[in-house]
């Protein structure tokens, strides 16, 4: 009977060690995923800035410079009949 109890305790300890190791690996994977998410966000920001720069350069090259900042004038607004308001 004592041998069976010892065997059960040994199996329980092995399972516990396996669960602890899996938890450690999951934590490492989560940290890796978070870091990859940060890198992707940073790359997306860089791509957005690059696209914005290309648009500004193309506008200048075509002779239609894009005003910088929020100073861009809105196009005139018209109603359904084409009358400005």
């Amino acid at each position: 009977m004592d041998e069976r109890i010892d065997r059960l305790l040994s199996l329980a300890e092995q399972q516990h060690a396996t669960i602890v190791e899996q938890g450690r690996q999951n934590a490492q994977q989560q940290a890796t995923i978070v870091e990859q998410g940060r890198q992707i966000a940073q790359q997306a920001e860089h791509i957005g800035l690059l696209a914005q720069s290309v648009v500004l350069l193309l506008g200048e090259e075509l002779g239609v410079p894009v005003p910088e900042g929020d100073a861009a004038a809105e196009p005139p607004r018209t109603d359904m009949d084409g009358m400005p308001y």
Side-chain angles (χ1 to χ4, degrees):
M1 180 94 168
D2 286 339
E3 290 176 19
R4 284 192 260 170
I5 292 173
D6 289 341
R7 178 73 178 141
L8 286 173
L9 285 175
S10 173
L11 289 173
E13 288 172 353
Q14 287 175 358
Q15 276 187 323
H16 180 263
T18 300
I19 291 170
V20 168
E21 178 61 22
Q22 286 175 346
R24 187 185 65 74
Q25 289 175 357
N26 287 343
Q28 286 178 340
Q29 287 174 347
Q30 185 177 8
T32 301
I33 290 169
V34 168
E35 181 58 29
Q36 287 175 343
R38 283 190 196 120
Q39 290 174 356
I40 290 169
Q42 190 176 32
Q43 287 175 346
E45 182 180 359
H46 291 163
I47 290 169
L49 291 171
L50 179 62
Q52 183 180 17
S53 298
V54 169
V55 168
L56 290 171
L57 288 173
L58 285 175
E60 289 176 3
E61 197 172 293
L62 292 174
V64 186
V66 179
E68 291 187 28
D70 293 333
E74 289 188 26
R77 296 181 183 205
T78 57
D79 61 14
M80 297 294 280
D81 296 324
M83 304 296 289
Y85 64 93

